[in-house]
Amino acid sequence: MGATPTVLVIGGGSTGCGIARDLAMRGLSVTLVEQGNLTHGTTGRMHGLLHSGGRYAVADQASARECIQETRVLEDIASHCVEETGGLFVKRPEDSEAYFERKLRGCAECGIPTEVLSGREARQREPYLAADVDKAIAVPDGAVDPFRLCVANAASAQNHGARIETHAEVTDLLVEAGEVVGAEVTHESGPGKRTHGKAGTTEEIEADHVINATGAWAGRIGDMAGLDVNVRPSKGVMTVMNVRQVDTVINRCIPKGNADIVVPHETTCILGTTDEEVEDPEDYPEAEWEVDLMIDELSKLLPVLQEARTIRSYWGVRPLYEPPGSGTADSEDITRDFFLLDHADRDGLPGLTTIVGGKFTTYRMMAEELSDHVCDRLGVSAACRTADVPLPGSRDERVLDDAMDEFGLTSPVARRSKQRLGDRAPDVLDTDDPNPVVCSCEGVTRAELQDAIAGSGTDLNAVRIRTRASMGNCQGGFCAHAMADELHPEYDAEQASAALDDLYQERWKGQRHALWGEQLSQAMLTYALHATTMNRDEGGIAADETVDFAAFDGGTPDGD
Amino acid sequence: MSDADSPHDPGVPDDEIPDDEFEPVDVFPESELDLRSGADDCYKCSTCDTNCPVAEVDDEFPGPKFQGPEQWRLKRKDDADIDPSIMDCSNCMRCDDACPSDVPLSQMHNEARAEYVDGQMSKLSVEYWRNRVLANYRKGAWLGSKFPRLTNALANNGPLRKLGEKLFGLTAEREFPAFATQTFREWWAERGGAATSKERAREARAKRGGAQVQSEDKRVAYFHGCYANYNTPEVAKAMVRTFEHFGYEIVVPEQGCSGTPMFANGMLDDARRDAETNISSFADLIDQGYDVICSCTSCSMALRQEYPELFTFEGTDDVAAHTYEALEYLRIHEDLRGALDEAEGEDEELAYHAPCHARNQGLDRQAVELFRDLDGVAVEDVGDSCSGISGTYGWKAEKYEKSMAIGEEMFEEMGEADGQTGMTECPTCAMQMEHGTGYEIRHPLELLEDALVAE
Amino acid sequence: MAIEQDVLVIGGGLAGVTAAVSAARTGADVRLVSYKQPTLRHASGLIDVLGYTPDGEGPLVDPVAALDDLPEGHPYERVGEDAVRAGLALFDDLAGDTYEGNHTERNALVPTQGGRVKPTARYPASTAAGLASDERDALLVGFERLVGFDAPLSAAQLNAAGAPFEARGATVEFPVELSADPKVTRFAHLLDRDEAGEESQDGSVRRALAERVTTHLDGEARVGFPAVLGDDHPEDVRAALETHLGVDVFEVPMGPPSLPGFRLEDRLYDALDAAGVRIETGNPVVGYETDGRDDDLIEAVTVDRNGATVPYAAEQFVLATGGLVGKGIDSDREGVAEPIFDCHVTHPPDRYDWFEDDAFGDHRFARFGVAPDRELRPRDARGTVEFDNLRAAGAVLGNYDFAAEKSGSGVSLATGHEAGRLAGDDT
């Protein structure tokens, strides 16, 4: 083959970014398009558990084996995205003893190391565990920041020549002579970084092969080519606590159930989850009972949760898939395995492959398998290197050493920044300019924000997922406007204003599910600050009526 | 109890220990309390930062919001390092009072400081031992009080003080407080102890209204603290005479240091030892109907707030709920206003400074309000600034300048006040007031005694 | 009982202070107890009376003229126009020449930190030269290490909003070496003390700052800074900057912590002292006692002093504990309550009806509070007065959204004044 084969990857979640990286490293010419931000879909809406495989060790041992294997890989290649927290499967008195034993056996069969702890020993590790927890199995679960992992994959793909387009929605698949040859894409603000206020454009991107890695949205892409891809999206709630009540992943040791996991995630804990099939991955009810269920059920494991502050809740949709004819009734029983649909074989439509199902922990393995398949189709023989080459930021372990200088930051802020930036920390933080903390909840400085803005334009939500700025207990109340300030003067007042509104609304969206107690008081303070002190609810530049300035008090006549 | 330090009996298998014996907080040594959940109350409004006297004079000090809820929230269990700036916090606790939302700031600072001293400060450093000696003032004071004249002479020998600064980092700028030739406890014993007090209280009650006064309601146990015992027994004596005047029977039980200087230096283990003594000693008396009275506002602060925040000995909460500052107690239980209305004070003008720890107990204005009703006496509040000494803080050579910079506002205000005598409840604030202005400093109890107790 | 007053005011914010002073002026013996520092320290220092109607109409030129149309139950409707005027008059008296705006009934438009304009009735003298109806061009100046006020962006926003003058912005380094994250009080106190401006000949920080700003001036007649120009001596700081710059200087109000809020608090507490009010801060009021015969009459409130409960007796009580932020109104997943007296707080049973999906929507939670009769006595769910001798003032009152209406300070003044006056008269 003469020219470099071209591939279009649709979907900027973990799978899509993983595929883009894999193929770009194999030397293919890759374009990735994503309708929103990177992680916009399911990747940005999961609980951040890095599975040891323990959760699948009884019901789905193949998945369990993959998980433990991939967890080990990610600990190597993505050290700055992963926290090796360890996990516990805890058993309450009413939980089945037989299942506890089966779990233990299952882990052994899958090569997942375990240790059985008495209730007392478990509480020594996690003092907030309920006093009546009988015992627990310790497993090597971990926590992962899906945002950083996804962004790092995309950055690596870019470093290998890939083009990454966010806010670029696929509006049609290009089919010529019975073959998919590309896609029509609508750029919200033109190609390149997102810029508020910039006019949108459409573009036809041609490719030798198109990959549909859109998860719960895969059916929609399929529809564009008249294909039936039966994704069964299933929603689940995640409730974010203000602080880490635990530093270990806490699973309840029961066969299956809602509200059975607490994952320590950065500065917070995330409670999960529910499992309800929905029709539309973008429009489904976010229900009060789901949040209440998280708190009430998980309080049985960690009583402190009953009174603790939650700062928001969010929902994600699992891209579950069943081969036609399986007919599983309960979405909880649908397999978590992934499926590679070669539409040439399956539907007689070459040029398009869909990947559905699967789980976050094994995204790299899925990407590898799909990339092998596509390379095979395109006659490329390069081997996968994604398991061996560290992701950007994760190359040099020494950066995280305490010996590193603190860049003039107080130690917890420096430590968090370095954990987020990995080996990029010196490049980003070593500045001669004043570098004040802008988001004090998460300890994010101006330099880190500027670095993120350089990568994501006016999209402050993209800045947020790169830095965690505005993800702490004030939920942007004290920093959202200061983040928008950082856009100026590179971007103008109107763009900064629109970007602030987007971020502010996004922060509000999740907070609505946490509006009682402290978070309601916090929300009132934020509302008072933004509406009263700044008058951002009225009197802005978007106000339709012009103000008759002359009618108002112009000061005392003598001007003193 | 200290079950924090007593892991389960190795002879008993884990599973046979009943769960109801288990309290989650006690699993770890108490110096590792998980206070992250305290960050749940934080608004991020920074009101605490604007009240911090150290941040006021030291721009590099990140302030109470960072030291408290932020640092704790960013913490993970395996994180060893606390920002070293925690040692610059003077434990004035003004942030507690400032916070509009109940964040346990000083508790977070106390825990973080203890963690820092425990895990990051070299036990071989001069700083550690200097702090340890300062924190355990009582031990030195006990020795010094045996030979008060000699100690006073040595302590304030110029060359020796310079040597102290060089070797131990104790500022040579300050004069050591003089030891009394007779400690309060020696005086108390000589006077006949509780038996004499009982008699005098009875006489006073008879004079004031006779038999209808129930003796059970008129019993107090005095926590005099170290300073009133070794250095200013006249304050303690004023407490005894004033309370007896109102008919209270006083006991002076065995007691250690309140722990204030130990908290401020991150020496929680030392504080715990003394707290255990104090709690067991006073809790028994509370069971018999006594209330606990302090004449030092830092001591009352420790018993009321810091003990329940930091320790779980049996009786801790009881002691906290029954402890009062002396004036506060009389104001609640006696018609002090009426008594002072009738009394005549000596003509006196006083510049009053409210100690930060008094402020934190809601007592910062009581002296001013109280003596407003006393003829002849004019008390002027010199403002709400911090004196800057914060116990042992201002004694450290490297903190001395900062301490004086914090105190500057108070010195100025005192200079502008009409009175040439100072007044405060806190012995170390008194030291600083005297050091900065040269004024004589009195305690409100002494004034009260002068006005009410004819002897 | 040893602690006993004619009137006891609970809460030390704008409403509580106003109530205490106004009660003291009737001749009553008054005590004010507050737990923590008031949310006055969060507030911009502007005295908003009514900037928009509850329907969002505005900005209103004449706030008083719009009072008549307010819905039943709104605090202004409860106390009436005279009380609003009386509250403002009391404020004018207490604030003296530190505030302006009482020369007219019209609202002023004050530039905010984000470059919007906001209608307000009284404004600190330090913001007077910044009014948006003033047609003189303005230079806004921000500081590198003070986040939240980007002067060039604010200026651009003001221009885009159609303000009748040209605004420009510049960001300068403060002329004293500072850490990366100086507190707002740091700037204020350096300017107060006016020492250590090393680059200026006489060491004056004010002069050194003016020198840095002068290079950016391009014919503007006024210069605006974030509101950090002094804590104890703001007039001196401003006057010195004006002298050095040769133009008017003003402050742009900022979010918490807010120096204009601090200054107002200091001024008001001095007024409390002058009025002879006994003040006690640091311990919370946690409950109340009736005399057992008459449950509608409060005999004392109980103050928690680190576990010891102490009764504070009075004839009349004023509840001015604030709203959701001040914790005068409390909530959990099940409902909303007033924690001290358990006065009724109307709220939808389902917490998902407490808010709107738009961040600036017509949130029900913003209007949570007690519902009083026309004498400001909180009423229960059936409309009956809860206690004969308890009145409520300020943000603990419900049925108004101060953030949307820009009516917070005005309601605190009007209801504080009225509650204090009625309480004092009833003793």
Side-chain angles (χ1 to χ4, degrees):
Chain A
M1 224 170 174
T4 309
T6 54
V7 178
L8 175 65
V9 181
I10 308 172
S14 49
T15 313
C17 291
I19 292 165
R21 177 185 194 227
D22 195 331
L23 291 174
M25 286 174 81
R26 297 192 206 204
L28 275 68
S29 171
V30 179
T31 301
L32 179 144
V33 293
E34 160 58 49
Q35 61 171 342
N37 276 324
L38 295 178
T39 76
H40 167 85
T42 305
T43 299
R45 320 199 122 253
M46 46 97 67
H47 45 44
L49 171 65
L50 190 62
H51 281 280
S52 63
R55 281 176 80 83
Y56 305 122
V58 174
D60 183 356
Q61 295 205 337
S63 288
R65 286 192 185 92
E66 287 170 6
C67 282
I68 187 71
Q69 186 185 330
E70 282 300 299
T71 287
R72 299 294 191 221
V73 170
L74 287 179
E75 284 166 2
D76 285 343
I77 67 161
S79 60
H80 70 307
C81 305
V82 170
E83 188 188 346
E84 295 179 32
T85 59
L88 296 175
F89 280 87
V90 300
K91 178 190 168 305
R92 288 190 45 78
E94 65 268 32
D95 299 341
S96 152
E97 177 69 36
Y99 186 76
F100 188 88
E101 292 303 326
R102 281 176 65 199
K103 177 72 81 184
L104 207 52
R105 223 167 37 240
C107 284
E109 285 158 9
C110 298
I112 301 165
T114 56
E115 182 188 353
V116 176
L117 306 177
S118 69
R120 194 177 175 90
E121 287 164 336
R123 282 185 290 273
Q124 267 171 0
R125 291 196 189 184
E126 286 301 343
Y128 285 123
L129 275 180
D132 58 352
V133 159
D134 284 345
K135 52 182 175 178
I137 304 170
V139 294
D141 279 346
V144 59
D145 187 322
F147 301 116
R148 283 210 299 279
L149 184 61
C150 205
V151 169
N153 271 286
S156 168
Q158 266 177 319
N159 292 343
H160 288 90
R163 174 184 174 202
I164 308 288
E165 288 287 347
T166 61
H167 303 280
E169 186 183 357
V170 169
T171 38
D172 204 1
L173 285 178
L174 305 177
V175 183
E176 273 173 28
E179 187 176 349
V180 176
V181 296
E184 180 193 80
V185 171
T186 302
H187 295 285
E188 193 178 314
S189 59
K193 282 185 284 192
R194 181 174 185 206
T195 311
H196 280 80
K198 200 163 135 193
T201 54
T202 56
E203 179 188 1
E204 291 194 346
I205 300 175
E206 294 190 349
D208 296 325
H209 202 90
V210 175
I211 296 159
N212 175 14
T214 55
W217 285 258
R220 288 198 187 173
I221 298 293
D223 283 346
M224 292 175 186
L227 304 171
D228 183 22
V229 179
N230 185 28
V231 180
R232 293 177 60 180
S234 151
K235 70 164 177 172
V237 68
M238 262 78 49
T239 293
V240 188
M241 308 309 294
N242 178 46
V243 298
R244 285 166 69 127
Q245 284 82 13
V246 289
D247 295 277
T248 311
V249 176
I250 305 296
N251 303 271
R252 186 160 179 185
C253 193
I254 47 177
K256 65 172 186 178
N258 285 332
D260 63 351
I261 187 165
V262 181
V263 184
H265 178 75
E266 300 285 325
T267 48
T268 70
C269 273
I270 298 180
L271 318 185
T273 180
T274 44
D275 195 341
E276 292 250 314
E277 195 162 343
V278 296
E279 287 290 316
D280 183 334
E282 282 177 5
D283 184 18
Y284 49 85
E286 299 176 348
E288 180 176 2
W289 68 263
E290 295 176 89
V291 176
D292 287 337
L293 184 78
M294 292 308 112
I295 297 169
D296 296 336
E297 275 302 302
L298 287 163
S299 295
K300 293 176 184 167
L301 303 184
L302 298 164
V304 68
L305 295 177
Q306 195 61 248
E307 298 301 324
R309 173 177 177 176
T310 92
I311 52 180
R312 60 193 289 118
S313 287
Y314 58 89
W315 277 255
V317 279
R318 301 173 188 84
L320 302 182
Y321 177 81
E322 277 199 327
S326 308
T328 308
D330 187 343
S331 60
E332 270 190 73
D333 297 326
I334 299 177
T335 175
R336 263 51 175 171
D337 205 356
F338 73 91
F339 296 87
L340 198 155
L341 313 179
D342 182 315
H343 295 289
D345 295 345
R346 182 177 180 264
D347 307 294
L349 182 68
L352 179 69
T353 303
T354 294
I355 182 159
V356 279
K359 49 203 166 296
F360 179 84
T361 300
T362 58
Y363 87 93
R364 195 211 58 82
M365 180 183 279
M366 289 158 63
E368 177 176 351
E369 207 162 308
L370 184 125
S371 298
D372 285 347
H373 172 79
V374 169
C375 286
D376 192 37
R377 282 275 169 189
L378 295 172
V380 176
S381 58
C384 176
R385 294 190 293 137
T386 55
D388 307 316
V389 182
L391 284 158
S394 191
R395 276 176 293 245
D396 190 348
E397 289 278 323
R398 283 169 308 167
V399 173
L400 296 176
D401 285 357
D402 291 341
M404 277 297 296
D405 77 58
E406 308 272 12
F407 314 106
L409 304 173
T410 42
S411 48
V413 171
R415 191 165 64 239
R416 287 290 158 259
S417 299
K418 285 187 285 188
Q419 281 166 350
R420 287 190 294 260
L421 292 163
D423 59 33
R424 296 182 56 243
D427 292 342
V428 175
L429 298 176
D430 207 358
T431 167
D432 290 333
D433 293 328
N435 189 24
V437 171
V438 177
C439 164
S440 61
C441 294
E442 297 292 326
V444 186
T445 59
R446 176 177 288 163
E448 200 178 335
L449 287 171
Q450 286 295 348
D451 171 66
I453 289 167
S456 49
T458 60
D459 193 328
L460 292 179
N461 282 309
V463 172
R464 168 176 62 80
I465 63 172
R466 282 163 172 79
T467 60
R468 288 192 59 79
S470 79
M471 293 174 87
N473 56 347
C474 82
Q475 291 284 291
F478 282 98
C479 68
H481 50 295
M483 288 169 69
D485 285 351
E486 296 299 325
L487 295 171
H488 193 72
E490 192 182 347
Y491 301 97
D492 68 21
E494 204 173 333
Q495 291 172 316
S497 194
L500 171 55
D501 288 344
D502 278 358
L503 175 64
Y504 193 77
Q505 291 291 348
E506 194 284 335
R507 295 286 79 192
W508 177 248
K509 190 170 182 275
Q511 258 187 106
R512 294 174 306 152
H513 301 287
L515 288 185
W516 68 86
E518 284 301 335
Q519 200 60 30
L520 181 59
S521 292
Q522 182 85 55
M524 186 64 212
L525 176 58
T526 298
Y527 179 50
L529 171 61
H530 286 257
T532 312
T533 307
M534 295 194 243
N535 202 13
R536 283 190 49 232
D537 60 330
E538 307 272 2
I541 45 180
D544 353 317
E545 294 169 52
T546 48
V547 175
D548 179 8
F549 284 89
F552 288 84
D553 176 10
T556 44
D558 59 355
D560 73 357
Chain B
M1 77 176 179
S2 184
D3 59 359
D5 303 318
S6 58
H8 65 87
D9 180 353
V12 184
D14 248 343
D15 292 339
E16 290 173 25
I17 296 174
D19 273 316
D20 56 2
E21 277 184 16
F22 180 84
E23 282 180 43
V25 160
D26 291 342
V27 188
F28 292 116
E30 276 171 298
S31 61
E32 285 178 31
L33 270 182
D34 185 353
L35 292 178
R36 289 179 292 192
S37 58
D40 273 1
D41 282 325
C42 180
Y43 277 143
K44 317 298 291 187
C45 69
S46 303
T47 305
C48 51
D49 283 349
T50 63
N51 278 267
C52 173
V54 177
E56 170 73 36
V57 299
D58 179 4
D59 188 38
E60 295 294 329
F61 183 64
K65 178 169 65 119
F66 174 81
Q67 299 289 4
E70 267 163 26
Q71 174 152 278
W72 276 97
R73 190 170 175 279
L74 291 170
K75 210 173 134 54
R76 294 174 185 173
K77 197 191 321 187
D78 54 0
D79 282 346
D81 53 334
I82 299 285
D83 196 64
S85 60
I86 190 67
M87 294 310 286
D88 289 331
C89 162
S90 73
N91 202 34
C92 73
M93 305 167 96
R94 290 172 82 94
C95 43
D96 280 352
D97 186 38
C99 175
S101 188
D102 270 337
V103 176
L105 284 142
S106 65
Q107 185 186 15
M108 289 173 144
H109 300 156
N110 272 331
E111 286 292 344
R113 188 164 33 237
E115 239 176 84
Y116 177 81
V117 169
D118 213 34
Q120 288 160 260
M121 196 186 241
S122 163
K123 304 294 172 293
L124 300 174
S125 68
V126 171
E127 188 187 358
Y128 175 80
W129 283 103
R130 188 269 321 266
N131 289 358
R132 188 110 201 242
V133 168
L134 280 173
N136 287 281
Y137 171 76
R138 182 169 169 268
K139 293 210 166 70
W142 176 82
L143 191 64
S145 70
K146 300 290 166 208
F147 315 98
R149 289 189 183 82
L150 175 65
T151 313
N152 292 343
L154 285 177
N156 287 314
N157 171 304
L160 272 184
R161 263 159 60 192
K162 286 267 183 292
L163 193 68
E165 172 155 336
K166 267 219 167 71
L167 288 180
F168 305 116
L170 286 176
T171 180
E173 301 290 334
R174 291 186 192 277
E175 291 198 17
F176 284 95
F179 288 108
T181 46
Q182 184 187 38
T183 66
F184 165 68
R185 292 185 78 93
E186 285 163 4
W187 174 83
W188 175 256
E190 196 177 288
R191 187 176 180 253
T196 303
S197 182
K198 193 168 194 164
E199 203 174 298
R200 298 210 175 180
R202 278 192 184 151
E203 284 166 20
R205 287 203 297 270
K207 219 188 288 174
R208 290 164 61 81
Q212 73 266 35
V213 180
Q214 294 295 312
S215 72
E216 280 73 18
D217 287 334
K218 293 271 187 180
R219 289 176 172 185
V220 296
Y222 182 30
F223 188 91
H224 49 67
C226 311
Y227 206 79
N229 185 38
Y230 295 114
N231 301 86
T232 54
E234 60 278 9
V235 171
K237 292 175 200 169
M239 181 275 166
V240 168
R241 293 184 190 124
T242 309
F243 272 69
E244 283 173 355
H245 169 79
F246 282 104
Y248 289 88
E249 296 170 14
I250 300 160
V251 293
V252 184
E254 187 205 336
Q255 54 192 279
C257 171
S258 71
T260 301
M262 296 150 180
F263 301 137
N265 286 290
M267 310 285 176
L268 276 195
D269 289 340
D270 291 345
R272 185 174 294 114
R273 269 192 297 277
D274 276 1
E276 189 169 16
T277 308
N278 294 335
I279 289 166
S280 91
S281 172
F282 283 89
D284 285 350
L285 289 162
I286 289 168
D287 286 345
Q288 298 165 40
Y290 285 84
D291 285 325
V292 183
I293 305 298
C294 300
S295 51
C296 162
T297 43
S298 293
C299 293
S300 58
M301 184 80 246
L303 267 59
R304 298 173 117 176
Q305 182 179 323
E306 282 158 324
Y307 282 13
E309 281 179 353
L310 301 170
F311 309 126
T312 53
F313 304 112
E314 200 183 327
T316 304
D317 289 339
D318 248 4
V319 169
H322 286 87
T323 297
Y324 299 83
E325 191 275 334
L327 252 66
E328 174 192 23
Y329 192 78
L330 292 176
R331 286 184 89 204
I332 294 169
H333 294 281
E334 303 298 325
D335 183 12
L336 213 46
R337 257 175 103 178
L340 286 173
D341 256 344
E342 290 164 20
E344 274 293 323
E346 292 169 41
D347 275 346
E348 210 170 356
E349 286 180 306
L350 294 142
Y352 171 73
H353 163 77
C356 297
H357 289 176
R359 185 174 305 280
N360 216 21
Q361 295 166 77
L363 306 176
D364 51 322
R365 297 179 60 95
Q366 67 170 7
V368 173
E369 279 184 8
L370 190 64
F371 292 113
R372 218 185 249 172
D373 299 318
L374 178 61
D375 281 347
V377 172
V379 178
E380 193 174 336
D381 193 331
V382 296
D384 61 0
S385 60
C386 170
S387 79
I389 192 166
S390 293
T392 59
Y393 192 80
W395 280 95
K396 298 170 185 171
E398 77 280 10
K399 304 282 197 300
Y400 176 76
E401 294 295 330
K402 225 177 272 183
S403 156
M404 293 303 281
I406 294 170
E408 189 54 38
E409 191 179 334
M410 180 189 74
F411 302 145
E412 278 172 26
E413 297 275 347
M414 285 179 73
E416 284 167 24
D418 292 331
Q420 301 291 305
T421 305
M423 181 169 78
T424 192
E425 288 93 341
C426 166
T428 60
C429 287
M431 267 182 223
Q432 177 87 332
M433 292 162 82
E434 190 187 345
H435 183 61
T437 61
Y439 291 3
E440 179 203 346
I441 313 298
R442 307 193 69 197
H443 189 286
L445 276 171
E446 296 177 83
L447 236 69
L448 212 54
E449 185 196 6
D450 286 353
L452 301 178
V453 187
E455 204 155 345
Chain C
M1 210 170 289
I3 301 176
E4 187 161 3
Q5 256 71 39
D6 295 337
V7 177
L8 187 100
V9 177
I10 311 161
L14 187 55
V17 171
T18 310
V21 171
S22 126
R25 288 187 176 187
T26 67
D29 178 18
V30 183
R31 179 181 291 273
L32 181 146
V33 291
S34 72
Y35 181 24
K36 301 286 186 142
Q37 290 191 352
T39 51
L40 195 53
R41 299 174 77 88
H42 294 164
S44 66
L46 299 179
I47 302 297
D48 305 341
V49 170
L50 192 66
Y52 298 83
T53 67
D55 299 331
E57 200 182 303
L60 299 170
V61 174
D62 185 343
V64 180
L67 295 178
D68 273 353
D69 297 330
L70 292 173
E72 188 175 338
H74 191 289
Y76 284 146
E77 179 273 335
R78 299 278 90 183
V79 296
E81 183 182 322
D82 289 348
V84 177
R85 289 184 191 281
L88 274 174
L90 177 62
F91 177 81
D92 291 337
D93 180 35
L94 300 181
D97 58 6
T98 61
Y99 268 74
E100 292 192 17
N102 62 355
H103 60 279
T104 173
E105 296 254 297
R106 289 177 296 160
N107 270 328
L109 294 174
V110 176
T112 73
Q113 68 183 102
R116 316 292 167 106
V117 295
K118 187 181 88 152
T120 195
R122 299 286 186 274
Y123 41 89
S126 65
T127 61
L131 298 191
S133 302
D134 185 335
E135 297 187 358
R136 296 175 298 162
D137 289 349
L139 174 70
L140 299 182
V141 175
F143 301 130
E144 289 278 7
R145 293 158 203 264
L146 183 65
V147 299
F149 180 67
D150 184 294
L153 179 55
S154 276
Q157 300 283 20
L158 276 173
N159 293 333
F165 58 90
E166 183 67 26
R168 283 192 319 114
T171 303
V172 302
E173 266 280 28
F174 198 75
V176 176
E177 199 177 311
L178 293 171
S179 68
D181 303 292
K183 319 273 175 269
V184 288
T185 41
R186 184 84 189 155
F187 295 100
H189 293 154
L190 284 166
L191 287 164
D192 270 345
R193 283 196 291 275
D194 200 24
E195 292 162 9
E198 281 151 19
E199 67 206 60
S200 130
Q201 297 149 351
D202 55 1
S204 161
V205 176
R206 300 168 189 171
R207 181 189 298 274
L209 176 58
E211 280 164 7
R212 293 203 168 181
V213 171
T214 300
T215 58
H216 294 279
L217 262 180
D218 185 19
E220 286 89 354
R222 45 183 180 151
V223 176
F225 292 91
V228 298
L229 302 184
D231 181 4
D232 298 323
H233 311 292
E235 296 82 11
D236 297 347
V237 172
R238 210 167 64 251
L241 289 172
E242 288 181 339
T243 305
H244 297 318
L245 286 167
V247 297
D248 283 353
V249 165
F250 63 93
E251 290 187 316
V252 178
M254 301 276 290
S258 156
L259 266 305
F262 292 14
R263 297 174 203 144
L264 180 57
E265 185 195 7
D266 288 347
R267 178 105 188 166
L268 293 175
Y269 274 72
D270 287 346
L272 278 180
D273 251 344
V277 173
R278 291 166 190 273
I279 310 166
E280 185 178 315
T281 61
N283 294 307
V285 172
V286 293
Y288 66 96
E289 293 168 357
T290 57
D291 73 352
R293 284 172 315 224
D294 183 356
D295 282 345
D296 295 334
L297 210 59
I298 299 161
E299 194 172 62
V301 294
T302 48
V303 173
D304 179 2
R305 297 181 170 220
N306 293 90
T309 307
V310 179
Y312 284 46
E315 284 182 49
Q316 296 289 325
F317 297 85
V318 177
L319 177 69
T321 43
L324 286 166
V325 181
K327 306 275 168 81
I329 300 294
D330 209 358
S331 65
D332 59 23
R333 277 193 284 158
E334 313 305 325
V336 185
E338 183 283 300
I340 298 176
F341 301 100
D342 198 22
C343 290
H344 175 69
V345 178
T346 309
H347 62 277
D350 182 342
R351 69 172 191 267
Y352 277 63
D353 294 330
W354 297 354
F355 59 83
E356 295 296 321
D357 288 343
D358 182 79
F360 290 120
D362 183 13
H363 300 305
R364 191 66 188 79
F365 70 77
R367 285 179 277 127
F368 284 164
V370 301
D373 70 355
R374 290 180 193 281
E375 288 193 16
L376 292 174
R377 292 174 300 187
R379 294 171 304 168
D380 63 19
R382 294 185 312 279
T384 314
V385 165
E386 301 245 20
F387 301 96
D388 293 334
N389 58 345
L390 176 70
R391 292 181 175 78
V396 73
L397 295 170
N399 284 320
Y400 74 116
D401 178 343
F402 74 82
E405 298 169 9
K406 327 299 167 195
S407 63
S409 303
V411 166
S412 291
L413 291 171
T415 58
H417 178 269
E418 188 71 355
R421 184 183 66 81
L422 291 168
D425 283 345
D426 278 359
T427 59

